[in-house]
Amino acid sequence: MAEIISINLPLSKVAIDYFNQDDNFIATKVLNPIKGDKAGIYYKFGKEAFMLENDLRANGSPSNRIVSFTTGTASYATEKHSLHDVITDDDRRLADKLGIDADKQAIKKLTQKLKLRLEYTVSSTLAGVTQGTTLSGTAQWSNGTGSDPISDIEKAKSTILKNCGMLPNICVMGYEVFVALRQHPDLLDVFKYTRPGYLNEEQLAAAIGVEKVLVGSVVYNTAKEGKTPSSSFMWGKDCYLLYRNNSASAIDDPTAGFIVVYSENGLDVKVKKWRDEDVEGDKIEATIEYAVVLSAPEAIYAIKSAVA
């Protein structure tokens, strides 16, 4: 009979440490992670701030009243994501001989899987944004001198500014897009007298006028279980400009989107460990509960098929 043991806080700490170390995962850098309840609401703001008011005031007359700001709400509900691994007694004996901490290794694998799903959820959510354009043929940035990434990005920035009053401060791109942009002649020309060679993320951000460039370099297997593995870049060949409120600490702060993380114990990842005599080993389970929300899709501009 399997015996459930309480949440293992030391192993949960292992999960948290590993969760924050792998720079290839960018989901929580793209959208703000926020602690929240299992379900709740967030605010959606109107655009009355952009309305030109009649502010002329005649002598002896009261001032004109502005159009009231409207604040609507939308709801979210978190979903639980959970996986477990089994460390048999034989596995543990072998790990001990090799000097390997089997529990920590299991937690790292489980956390990697949970992070992979979160990354996929965020990238898929952004892929559903309809505001943007699709490049093709010679307009694709991999075409070099025949394309114009600076103009394409400036169009994205002006569209976001016009629709939500904020300039995008983050540019998110798949690894293949980054490879094309870092050696594009138009962008290299910006630094040709000061920093020769291919551009890094910081230089590219300066060249296109955003605070940060985030490169999605996570790969995942797109083949079904049991089939020949087929690896692909999770962020594909697309590029996104977006506005993220870097100081957002609550769901009433305007921002392109956020990740609501529900946690009973103040931990992002909850870890359980229990003995299962049926398999003659220990089971270790990792769980995280979250919801990915696009609160302001007008603050996002998608450039699809940016490279061939």
Side-chain angles (χ1 to χ4, degrees):
M1 180 181 296
E3 179 186 358
I4 298 294
I5 299 178
S6 61
I7 295 172
N8 193 304
L9 297 183
L11 289 185
S12 295
K13 183 62 168 64
V14 171
I16 292 173
D17 286 345
Y18 188 77
F19 195 87
N20 291 315
Q21 287 175 354
D22 191 350
D23 290 336
N24 288 341
F25 291 88
I26 62 172
T28 56
K29 299 175 184 178
V30 176
L31 301 180
N32 289 311
I34 300 173
K35 299 289 186 182
D37 296 325
K38 279 180 171 289
I41 62 172
Y42 61 94
Y43 295 104
K44 296 183 72 68
F45 299 91
K47 297 184 179 181
E48 292 79 13
F50 304 145
M51 184 172 291
L52 191 63
E53 305 283 358
N54 179 11
D55 58 1
L56 289 177
R57 181 177 180 179
N59 185 31
S61 299
S63 60
N64 293 325
R65 179 180 175 178
I66 65 170
V67 175
S68 298
F69 283 70
T70 59
T71 306
T73 59
S75 62
Y76 73 86
T78 61
E79 294 181 320
K80 188 175 292 186
H81 301 262
S82 185
L83 295 168
H84 79 269
D85 197 2
V86 177
I87 304 173
T88 66
D89 294 340
D90 289 341
D91 291 338
R92 191 175 295 282
R93 281 191 289 268
L94 178 59
D96 290 342
K97 288 182 179 179
L98 297 175
I100 297 173
D101 189 322
D103 289 347
K104 287 186 177 181
Q105 286 295 103
I107 289 301
K108 287 184 177 182
K109 289 189 295 182
L110 291 169
T111 306
Q112 178 96 180
K113 289 286 189 180
L114 295 177
K115 290 172 65 177
L116 196 65
R117 173 57 62 178
L118 174 60
E119 191 87 359
Y120 180 80
T121 301
V122 171
S123 63
S124 298
T125 301
L126 260 65
V129 171
T130 57
Q131 178 173 264
T133 187
T134 300
L135 303 182
S136 62
T138 57
Q140 291 176 301
W141 301 339
S142 49
N143 189 48
T145 55
S147 59
D148 192 352
I150 293 178
S151 293
D152 294 333
I153 291 171
E154 286 301 322
K155 179 181 178 180
K157 291 164 65 177
S158 64
T159 299
I160 292 175
L161 178 62
K162 182 174 65 176
N163 289 338
C164 67
M166 297 171 286
L167 278 170
N169 54 359
I170 292 179
C171 183
V172 185
M173 63 187 69
Y175 181 76
E176 292 166 295
V177 179
F178 174 63
V179 169
L181 282 185
R182 70 188 303 228
Q183 55 187 321
H184 195 283
D186 290 359
L187 293 167
L188 288 174
D189 190 62
V190 177
F191 292 96
K192 65 182 179 180
Y193 297 116
T194 56
R195 298 177 182 178
Y198 293 158
L199 305 181
N200 59 31
E201 289 95 326
E202 291 76 17
Q203 294 163 347
L204 186 56
I208 63 178
V210 295
E211 293 177 10
K212 186 174 293 187
V213 165
L214 297 175
V215 180
S217 55
V218 167
V219 296
Y220 72 117
N221 181 15
T222 59
K224 294 183 179 180
E225 187 175 357
K227 301 296 183 181
T228 302
S230 178
S231 295
S232 296
F233 288 108
M234 187 168 286
W235 287 90
K237 299 181 178 182
D238 303 330
C239 177
Y240 303 91
L241 279 295
L242 62 90
Y243 173 76
R244 166 178 162 156
N245 188 331
N246 293 323
S247 63
S249 58
I251 56 177
D252 58 351
D253 292 320
T255 190
F258 48 86
I259 304 169
V260 181
V261 180
Y262 172 72
S263 178
E264 297 172 326
N265 299 284
L267 301 170
D268 288 340
V269 177
K270 179 172 66 177
V271 176
K272 290 182 180 179
K273 177 183 175 182
W274 67 93
R275 179 70 182 175
D276 190 341
E277 290 296 349
D278 292 338
V279 297
E280 295 184 337
D282 300 321
K283 288 187 176 180
I284 297 180
E285 179 185 80
T287 301
I288 186 171
E289 189 168 344
Y290 59 83
V292 175
V293 178
L294 289 189
S295 53
E298 62 271 21
I300 307 171
Y301 190 99
I303 302 175
K304 301 292 184 65
S305 299
V307 297

